[in-house]
Amino acid sequence: MPKMFSNVFIITGERESGKTRLLLDILGEYWEKEIDCAGVLSPAVFTSAKKTGIDLLDVRGGECQRLANLRQSNSTGIMTDRWVFESLTLDWGNKVLASATPCDLLLVDELGPIELDKGLGLQNGLLALNSGEYKAAIVVIRLELLAKAHQLWPGAQLFDLSASHTDASTQLMQILADYL
């Protein structure tokens, strides 16, 4: 019988739907309650109201490094259609994730096509989630990768921001209270 991950919450939604903002709100609430939160978040970087980059934030340590920049015609390295990723930051992020568990609340924002399709990127995010060494975990997954995520973490609870009509932060906090 496969391991069930009922204490894993998958956050999904369209691009720019507020997934990371939701996690930052949750993180703020639990920091105040002195809950041991660990993992990584990927806040957007804006220049003149245009998203031009993505940072990687160590949830437990507070350090932040540039994860990705807009892809240019001459970009090389690990890329998606839109972004080119910093190898040194990915290495650092994997170290952060390798030491994230055990913890009360594990946050992994996000596991995308680089991790789930190419086997690159923040692979230690997968390992940390699979370890089960947390009371609850939240992982951000793109809509088009949900089938893969459900295969990896059977029993995980889906929280789709595009379908949510209530205050997402409050709703998820109420659910998490049962685990933390």
Side-chain angles (χ1 to χ4, degrees):
M1 184 169 176
K3 180 178 178 180
M4 297 303 284
F5 290 88
S6 59
N7 61 337
V8 173
F9 299 87
I10 297 172
I11 304 295
T12 195
E14 300 292 332
R15 283 183 170 91
E16 315 295 322
S17 63
K19 300 177 293 292
T20 300
R21 177 79 255 155
L22 171 62
L23 292 183
L24 287 166
D25 291 345
I26 289 169
L27 181 60
E29 289 285 326
Y30 282 117
W31 266 345
E32 289 178 11
K33 296 178 181 178
E34 298 185 8
I35 300 291
D36 180 25
C37 301
V40 295
L41 296 183
S42 303
V45 176
F46 291 90
T47 304
S48 301
K50 180 181 177 188
K51 186 174 178 180
T52 58
I54 304 168
D55 281 344
L56 192 65
L57 171 68
D58 173 359
V59 168
R60 190 181 273 150
E63 185 179 345
C64 193
Q65 295 186 19
R66 181 58 54 94
L67 175 62
N69 291 297
L70 282 175
R71 184 175 173 170
Q72 305 296 317
S73 59
N74 61 346
S75 294
T76 60
I78 299 173
M79 295 182 281
T80 63
D81 291 342
R82 189 172 178 196
W83 303 104
V84 59
F85 290 81
E86 299 289 337
S87 295
L88 292 176
T89 303
L90 288 170
D91 291 345
W92 171 76
N94 275 311
K95 288 177 186 168
V96 168
L97 288 163
S99 64
T101 56
C103 64
D104 293 328
L105 179 60
L106 175 66
L107 302 170
V108 183
D109 175 21
E110 89 179 67
L111 296 177
I114 290 174
E115 290 81 13
L116 299 179
D117 290 340
K118 297 179 180 179
L120 301 170
L122 298 173
Q123 289 297 301
N124 284 348
L126 295 163
L127 296 174
L129 285 160
N130 290 340
S131 77
E133 295 180 359
Y134 45 80
K135 293 179 182 175
I138 303 174
V139 58
V140 173
I141 302 287
R142 293 180 185 204
L143 288 166
E144 62 268 22
L145 296 170
L146 285 178
K148 287 184 181 188
H150 283 299
Q151 287 177 337
L152 289 169
W153 306 292
Q157 300 180 51
L158 180 64
F159 196 82
D160 187 347
L161 293 187
S162 57
S164 179
H165 300 291
T166 60
D167 178 34
S169 180
T170 302
Q171 187 179 5
L172 188 52
M173 290 290 289
Q174 289 171 345
I175 296 168
L176 285 172
D178 291 340
Y179 294 90
L180 302 171

